[in-house]
């Protein structure tokens, strides 16, 4: 049984029950469902009546379940309905043009989200196929104006028949632009959809429509806008009248209580705004007006409002494939057009995802599957690049390129993982990959700006400072030196050893040893744990054409997460080196020049004084040069020597414990590798004739990435 049959079989059962007593129930002369309706809306000058009729039916169904005041997004339903739509002719010469298999993978298979058209039951079917919709505030409706009749700026291409829209990449550039499709629509907290629906056997049958209304359902009715509408209070059939095109409304009741059959009518919720002279603004159509109907149906079951995490992956990505700079457009979620394909006699699985553009500008269709934050993609090349909607493997084999990725975050929107060429065929090594969503489709701003390290395919290529991003959290990682002796004897046969450290707090770093596989130096293994940052068990793959990046998905705190590492540059380790000696104060102690923190760019550290006289003046002298040991003697202060050539002086008052401190934060990377020299000078009457004592000196080297 197909998915379409399953949806319709449930609905058909409901319809059967509803119509079982139709003959006896015919005596019920009126039904009125106005109590379940949300406010009447206005589609403006756009051709989106079909969307309003379908959404109105969905809102009414939820209202019956207690979701009062619900206002769902017609804009989203129309936009995603167009973008997710798939042209239903892959290989049939007599079917509607184009025959997609006769073209390349860059031929448009969907529609631009701003345009209208279609029928109301098409939207209901979309809702049942998985296209759930958010509330109005996630994507407010655009009514259109004289200047922007579609509600959007279409530039030089306002007509859907413009050849510009025959190019899939052009369509994606427009559809995936956050100026048109806001992220709020793709990341809403809850979405509303359909589990089952039924189609009318005869959309012109008053008896059938009455039966459905008596059963407690509204009817989405598609019809030709014709007839006598001169009296807007009641539309009537008129032979030979002008057909103005298709229209959709929601039939919400009927009334044939009048003794005069000419007054019998159906009550409809139109999308032209409330109309004066109508009952509460609703449209009435005479029974004979049903002659214009050509499609209709009703929603019989709805989903519990739900999250839709897969939707957040929609967008245009800068896609690094082993370092090759490509583009990935995700404009479709698999399964959302399943019923549509089956309706057109394609009983295959909807696996479409989007479009791929390689570094040479060649295109390929993308198929795959989504599950929460997991993304599985198939891409083929050459003559196989134009994959049908259901393809994964070629000719029953494993040919093609398979990507296994996990979405790291929704903002800025990043995926990371690995891929395999012809998976299942030996050899099939993992190769690292990442994708970062562009801020706007026309600007490539998603690729990382990594700095390559030492010789490629060697453990030395990893040495340096790295930004490790796991999911949405950044960690500072330094791979400091190679030392195979830090590995166990058993591991040395298969791995190189790299001494690393990670900053677990702004002033605390922990050292550990990473491993690089000897048989494939692109494979880096990081195993580290600390209460402040959690546990890492990362099996990373370095990108060959972007060796300053490694990526994959692995375990973080026991949960599989996508991640990448970006090399920021060579690393210089910051350090404090005391030198020289101080002299004794009146408290029989030598003032001690100490330090704390990490003297590196973007880190905090402090130059400290202790063992000094309490509640006195202390001056920290700072210069960029020291004085040759043992230093310059201070007159009247035996054993006290000046150890720094001072340029700056910082005055403090020591506390009751005889301590003082100068906190420092360095944020300029140009200072990396620079040194400065400091020494404390303390006013200490009674210590000697000069009343001055000095600490030892401190040689501080600024570290960080460069």
């Amino acid at each position: 049984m197909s998915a379409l049959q399953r949806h319709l079989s449930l609905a058909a059962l409901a319809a059967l029950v509803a119509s079982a007593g139709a003959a006896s129930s015919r005596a019920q002369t009126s039904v009125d469902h106005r109590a379940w309706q949300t406010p009447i809306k206005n589609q403006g000058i756009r051709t989106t009546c079909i969307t309003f009729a379908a959404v109105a039916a969905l809102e009414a169904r939820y209202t019956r379940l207690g979701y009062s005041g619900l206002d769902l997004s017609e804009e989203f339903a129309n936009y995603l309905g167009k973008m997710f739509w798939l042209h239903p002719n892959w290989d049939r010469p007599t079917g509607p043009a184009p025959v997609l298999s006769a073209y390349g993978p860059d031929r448009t298979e969907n529609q631009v989200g701003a345009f209208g058209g279609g029928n109301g039951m098409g939207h209901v079917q979309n809702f049942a196929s998985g296209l759930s919709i958010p509330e109005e505030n996630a994507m407010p409706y655009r009514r259109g104006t004289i200047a922007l009749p579609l509600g959007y700026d279409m530039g030089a291409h306002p007509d859907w028949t413009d050849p510009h829209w025959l190019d899939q990449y052009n369509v994606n550039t427009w559809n995936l632009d956050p100026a048109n499709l806001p992220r709020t629509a793709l990341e809403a907290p809850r979405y509303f959809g359909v589990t089952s629906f039924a189609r009318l056997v005869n959309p012109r049958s008053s008896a059938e429509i009455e039966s459905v209304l008596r059963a407690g359902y509204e009817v989405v009715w598609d019809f030709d806008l014709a007839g006598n509408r001169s009296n807007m209070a009641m539309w009537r059939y008129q032979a030979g009248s002008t057909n103005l095109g298709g229209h959709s409304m929601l039939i919400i009741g009927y009334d044939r209580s009048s003794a005069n059959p000419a007054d019998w009518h159906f009550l409809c919720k139109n999308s032209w705004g409330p109309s004066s002279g109508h009952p509460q603004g609703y449209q009435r159509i005479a029974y004979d007006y049903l002659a214009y109907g050509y499609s209709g149906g009703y929603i019989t079951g709805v989903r519990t409002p739900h999250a839709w995490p897969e939707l957040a992956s929609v967008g245009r990505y800068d896609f690094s494939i082993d370092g090759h700079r490509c583009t990935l457009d995700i404009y479709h979620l698999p399964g959302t057009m399943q019923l549509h394909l089956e309706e057109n006699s394609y009983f295959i699985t909807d696996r479409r995802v989007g479009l791929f553009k390689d570094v040479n500008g060649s295109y390929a269709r993308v198929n795959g599957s989504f599950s929460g934050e997991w993304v599985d993609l198939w891409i083929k090349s050459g003559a196989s690049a134009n994959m049908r909607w259901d393809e994964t493997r070629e000719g029953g084999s494993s040919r093609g390129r398979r990507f296994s990725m996990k979405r790291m975050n929704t903002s800025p929107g990043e995926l990371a993982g690995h891929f395999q060429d012809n998976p299942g065929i030996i050899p099939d090594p993992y190769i690292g990959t990442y994708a970062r969503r562009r801020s706007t489709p026309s600007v490539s701003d998603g690729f990382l700006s990594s700095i390559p390290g030492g010789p490629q395919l060697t453990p030395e290529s990893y040495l340096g400072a790295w930004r490790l991003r796991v999911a949405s959290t950044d960690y500072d990682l330094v791979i400091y030196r190679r030392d195979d002796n830090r590995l166990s004897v058993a591991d040395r046969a298969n791995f190189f050893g790299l001494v690393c450290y990670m900053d677990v707090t702004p002033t605390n770093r922990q050292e550990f040893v990473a491993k690089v596989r000897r048989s494939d130096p692109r494979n880096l293994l990081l195993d580290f744990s600390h209460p402040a940052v959690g546990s890492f068990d990362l099996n990373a793959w370095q990108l060959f054409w972007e060796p300053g990046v490694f990526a994959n998905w692995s375990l973080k705190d026991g949960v599989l997460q996508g991640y990448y590492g970006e090399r920021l540059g060579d690393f210089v380790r910051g350090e404090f080196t005391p030198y020289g000696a101080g002299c004794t104060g009146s408290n029989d102690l030598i003032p001690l020049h100490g330090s704390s923190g990490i003297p590196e760019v973007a880190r905090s550290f402090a130059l400290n004084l202790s063992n000094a006289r309490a509640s006195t003046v202390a001056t920290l002298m700072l210069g960029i040069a020291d004085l040759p040991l043992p230093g310059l003697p201070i007159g009247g202060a035996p054993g006290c020597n000046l150890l720094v050539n001072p340029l700056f002086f910082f005055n403090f008052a020591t506390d009751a414990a005889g301590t003082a401190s100068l906190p420092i934060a360095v944020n300029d990377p140009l200072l990396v590798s620079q040194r400065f020299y400091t020494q404390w000078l303390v006013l200490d009457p009674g210590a000697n004739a000069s009343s001055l004592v000095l600490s030892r000196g401190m040689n501080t080297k600024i570290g960080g990435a460069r």
Side-chain angles (χ1 to χ4, degrees):
M1 182 183 292
S2 70
L4 181 59
Q5 289 171 323
R6 286 194 299 272
H7 280 87
L8 291 177
S9 62
L10 292 173
L13 178 61
L16 180 63
V17 172
S19 60
S24 60
S25 298
R26 183 74 175 166
Q28 184 176 346
T29 59
S30 67
V31 168
D32 189 338
H33 293 325
R34 278 179 288 180
W36 305 111
Q37 307 310 307
T38 56
I40 296 173
K41 302 177 184 180
N42 193 332
Q43 72 188 67
I45 61 175
R46 295 174 63 189
T47 57
T48 51
C49 55
I50 60 173
T51 312
F52 280 83
V55 171
L58 188 59
E59 290 175 341
R61 202 80 243 146
Y62 277 104
T63 299
R64 283 179 164 82
L65 297 177
Y67 294 91
S68 60
L70 191 62
D71 185 7
L72 299 179
S73 174
E74 290 85 6
E75 191 64 50
F76 182 95
N78 185 80
Y79 198 109
L80 271 291
K82 296 297 183 183
M83 187 173 76
F84 280 4
W85 184 83
L86 296 172
H87 177 68
N89 186 3
W90 187 260
D91 52 5
R92 296 167 180 166
T94 59
V99 180
L100 290 174
S101 62
Y103 294 86
D106 55 341
R107 178 60 184 255
T108 300
E109 65 177 351
N110 60 349
Q111 300 179 48
V112 177
F115 296 127
N119 61 77
M121 283 308 298
H123 277 294
V124 171
Q125 181 172 276
N126 289 347
F127 299 159
S129 197
L131 180 55
S132 297
I133 63 176
E135 290 161 273
E136 175 72 9
N137 58 6
M139 192 172 182
Y141 184 67
R142 303 189 184 198
R143 290 183 58 182
T145 64
I146 298 300
L148 299 174
L150 297 175
Y152 295 88
D153 184 358
M154 307 303 296
H157 312 285
D159 189 340
W160 69 273
T161 62
D162 190 318
H164 176 82
W165 302 122
L166 297 178
D167 183 281
Q168 185 69 68
Y169 194 81
N170 289 344
V171 171
N172 297 346
T173 299
W174 197 93
N175 277 344
L176 299 177
D177 190 336
N180 302 322
L181 179 59
R183 297 305 304 177
T184 53
L186 303 174
E187 300 167 18
R190 60 180 187 170
Y191 293 82
F192 300 77
V194 169
T195 57
S196 59
F197 70 99
R199 292 184 182 275
L200 295 177
V201 176
N202 182 2
R204 301 180 179 184
S205 168
S206 62
E208 184 179 2
I209 294 175
E210 283 185 3
S211 176
V212 172
L213 292 169
R214 283 195 300 273
Y217 303 102
E218 290 81 7
V219 174
V220 176
W221 192 58
D222 300 314
F223 61 99
D224 290 322
L225 189 60
N228 182 352
R229 296 182 294 112
S230 59
N231 178 5
M232 291 299 291
M234 179 86 79
W235 295 356
R236 298 183 183 278
Y237 176 79
Q238 179 177 311
S241 61
T242 301
N243 181 359
L244 299 180
H247 189 52
S248 292
M249 296 192 298
L250 186 68
I251 302 178
I252 66 167
Y254 70 88
D255 186 349
R256 48 181 176 78
S257 59
S258 173
N260 182 2
D263 293 333
W264 294 1
H265 62 270
F266 286 94
L267 193 62
C268 303
K269 185 180 181 182
N270 203 354
S271 52
W272 294 349
S275 302
S276 61
H278 297 174
Q280 297 180 7
Y282 291 91
Q283 178 65 54
R284 288 177 291 183
I285 59 173
Y287 269 47
D288 63 358
Y289 199 80
L290 292 183
Y292 295 117
Y294 56 79
S295 174
Y298 49 102
I299 296 171
T300 57
V302 294
R303 298 183 62 179
T304 300
H306 59 282
W308 194 1
E310 295 84 355
L311 191 61
S313 294
V314 168
R316 172 167 289 173
Y317 292 81
D318 282 331
F319 192 18
S320 180
I321 301 181
D322 201 20
H324 291 294
R325 296 194 162 195
C326 307
T327 305
L328 172 66
D329 287 347
I330 299 178
Y331 60 80
H332 185 88
L333 292 186
T336 52
M337 285 293 124
Q338 185 65 48
L339 303 184
H340 170 68
L341 294 180
E342 293 179 6
E343 182 185 33
N344 288 275
S345 299
Y346 282 101
F347 297 101
I348 57 178
T349 300
D350 170 19
R351 293 191 175 95
R352 179 67 85 228
V353 170
L355 185 72
F356 169 73
K357 182 180 181 182
D358 71 14
V359 68
N360 298 313
S362 297
Y363 292 97
R365 302 279 189 195
V366 182
N367 286 351
S369 62
F370 289 73
S371 179
E373 297 173 336
W374 288 99
V375 179
D376 195 58
L377 305 177
W378 280 90
I379 300 175
K380 299 177 183 177
S381 59
S384 301
N386 192 25
M387 285 194 295
R388 197 174 68 171
W389 311 294
D390 60 320
E391 288 185 51
T392 56
R393 300 167 185 259
E394 191 171 47
S397 72
S398 300
R399 290 189 176 276
R401 179 169 282 181
R402 181 182 182 180
F403 295 81
S404 177
M405 307 176 75
K406 189 171 187 186
R407 191 175 72 242
M408 298 166 56
N409 47 61
T410 56
S411 180
E414 299 173 307
L415 307 169
H418 60 261
F419 70 92
Q420 296 171 276
D421 283 324
N422 303 326
I425 300 175
I426 303 299
D428 57 352
Y430 285 171
I431 303 173
T433 187
Y434 71 87
R436 303 178 77 222
R437 192 176 63 239
R438 295 183 181 184
S439 60
T440 184
S442 58
V443 178
S444 177
D445 56 3
F447 292 111
L448 297 172
S449 301
S450 61
I451 301 174
Q456 197 167 2
L457 298 179
T458 68
E460 285 72 22
S461 66
Y462 293 99
L463 300 182
W466 294 76
R467 176 172 65 101
L468 174 62
R469 174 168 289 181
V470 183
S472 57
T473 303
D474 288 345
Y475 302 89
D476 294 306
L477 171 69
V478 172
I479 304 179
Y480 190 57
R481 70 177 188 276
R482 176 180 167 185
D483 188 349
D484 298 347
N485 292 325
R486 295 288 297 271
L487 299 176
S488 68
V489 174
D491 275 346
R492 287 178 213 164
N494 298 308
F495 299 98
F496 304 106
L498 295 176
V499 179
C500 310
Y501 58 78
M502 182 177 289
D503 290 339
V504 295
T505 69
T507 58
N508 182 17
R509 59 176 35 139
Q510 295 292 313
E511 188 175 275
F512 66 100
V513 179
K515 297 185 290 188
V516 175
R517 195 175 300 277
R518 289 180 180 270
S519 60
D520 190 347
R522 295 175 307 158
N523 189 201
L524 172 69
L525 305 177
L526 295 168
D527 188 355
F528 173 70
S529 180
H530 187 276
V533 293
S535 63
F536 300 79
D537 186 5
L538 308 186
N539 182 6
W541 292 89
Q542 187 182 53
L543 279 59
F544 184 84
W545 298 104
E546 196 175 357
V549 174
F550 59 75
N552 201 2
W553 49 259
S554 298
L555 289 172
K556 170 68 171 71
D557 297 327
V559 178
L560 290 173
Q561 299 284 8
Y563 65 88
Y564 61 74
E566 178 185 16
R567 189 177 183 277
L568 304 179
D570 295 335
F571 183 77
V572 175
R573 190 165 187 168
E575 56 190 15
F576 299 109
T577 306
Y579 68 97
C583 52
T584 305
S586 61
N587 59 1
D588 293 328
L589 298 174
I590 298 175
L592 178 63
H593 188 341
S595 60
S596 59
I598 303 172
E600 292 173 3
V601 172
R603 296 291 177 269
S604 299
F605 62 97
L607 300 172
N608 305 321
L609 171 67
S610 59
N611 293 345
R613 181 187 177 102
S615 304
T616 190
V617 176
T619 300
L620 181 67
M621 301 178 290
L622 185 151
I624 58 174
D626 59 351
L627 295 176
L629 294 176
L632 181 66
I634 301 296
C640 297
N641 297 302
L642 185 64
L643 302 172
V644 61
N645 185 7
L647 296 176
F648 303 97
F649 301 86
F650 302 91
N651 294 321
F652 299 86
T654 61
D655 60 17
T659 67
S661 181
L662 174 65
I664 299 177
V666 177
N667 295 308
D668 188 350
L670 295 177
L671 294 176
V672 172
S673 296
Q674 299 299 311
R675 294 180 180 270
F676 64 88
Y677 303 83
T678 51
Q679 185 180 22
W680 287 94
L681 173 67
V682 180
L683 178 64
D684 191 351
N688 50 47
S690 68
S691 298
L692 298 173
V693 292
L694 290 95
S695 71
R696 67 186 181 182
M698 186 67 72
N699 175 352
T700 301
K701 180 181 179 181
I702 302 298
R706 63 176 182 181

